[in-house]
Amino acid sequence: MARVFVYGTLKKGQPNYKHMINTAKGLAKFQGRGQTVEKYPLVIAGKYNIPYMLNIPGTGHHVAGEIYSVDEQMLQFLDEFEGCPDMYQRTLMRIQVVEWEGKGGAGEARAGADGVLECFVYSTATYPPEWVGLPYYDSYDSSGKHGLSYVLRESR
């Protein structure tokens, strides 16, 4: 099992969460909520209003998201879904656990004494330079105050 941190449309209540609970694509078990230890710019970009975490450590905000434990089949699905390695790159990042599901679980014990886990995150280093000038968010919600409605893949 691998640990994945999702910050955009794959979170609970977001447009692509359905993929995280579709066991035909593999297994994904919600572990808890967290945020990036380092700051990153989270932008909403492109004609489909897709959330992207730009791989520029030290800039932006501590990005909030959810931590999942996924099997190899789900990890392969997520790589394909996220357009890895062209659109997003899957990299290991340090994630600060904010809230853990099932206190005292084995997963929590694997976090360091400081509550930090290493998780795979789909961020991007391949983006148009003008994206750096977009507004940065600390959390993503497809129906947030930003007014940028996410366009589902099947509607494109």
Side-chain angles (χ1 to χ4, degrees), residues 14-27:
Q14 297 303 311
N16 289 316
Y17 177 66
K18 61 187 178 224
H19 299 302
M20 298 299 285
I21 56 174
N22 182 347
T23 54
K25 296 179 186 326
L27 298 175

Side-chain angles (χ1 to χ4, degrees), residues 40-44 52 54 56 59-61 129-139:
Y40 290 92
L42 171 59
V43 301
I44 300 171
Y52 293 92
L54 307 183
I56 310 172
T59 301
H61 301 285
E130 60 269 19
W131 287 9
V132 176
L134 294 171
Y136 298 165
Y137 301 93
D138 60 359
S139 180

Side-chain angles (χ1 to χ4, degrees), residues 85-104:
D86 301 324
M87 192 159 108
Y88 292 92
Q89 296 80 48
R90 176 167 44 98
T91 57
L92 277 174
M93 287 186 189
R94 290 164 31 88
I95 304 299
Q96 175 73 51
V97 175
V98 173
E99 178 187 331
W100 198 254
E101 192 88 339
K103 294 284 177 227

Side-chain angles (χ1 to χ4, degrees), residues 4-20 30 32-36 41-45 48-54 62-68 78 81-82 87-88 95 120-123 137-144 146 148-153 156:
V4 175
F5 176 77
V6 298
Y7 57 84
T9 65
L10 291 167
K11 295 187 307 184
K12 289 181 181 182
Q14 297 303 311
N16 289 316
Y17 177 66
K18 61 187 178 224
H19 299 302
M20 298 299 285
F30 177 76
R33 300 185 195 296
Q35 65 180 19
T36 58
L42 171 59
V43 301
I44 300 171
Y48 304 121
N49 296 319
I50 297 170
Y52 293 92
M53 186 189 303
L54 307 183
H62 299 284
V63 177
E66 298 173 348
I67 302 162
Y68 288 84
L78 290 172
F81 182 79
E82 298 290 11
M87 192 159 108
Y88 292 92
I95 304 299
F120 284 121
V121 180
Y122 292 91
S123 64
Y137 301 93
D138 60 359
S139 180
Y140 175 78
D141 184 339
S142 62
S143 55
H146 49 71
L148 301 167
S149 296
Y150 174 77
V151 179
L152 283 167
R153 212 168 266 201
R156 297 177 191 168

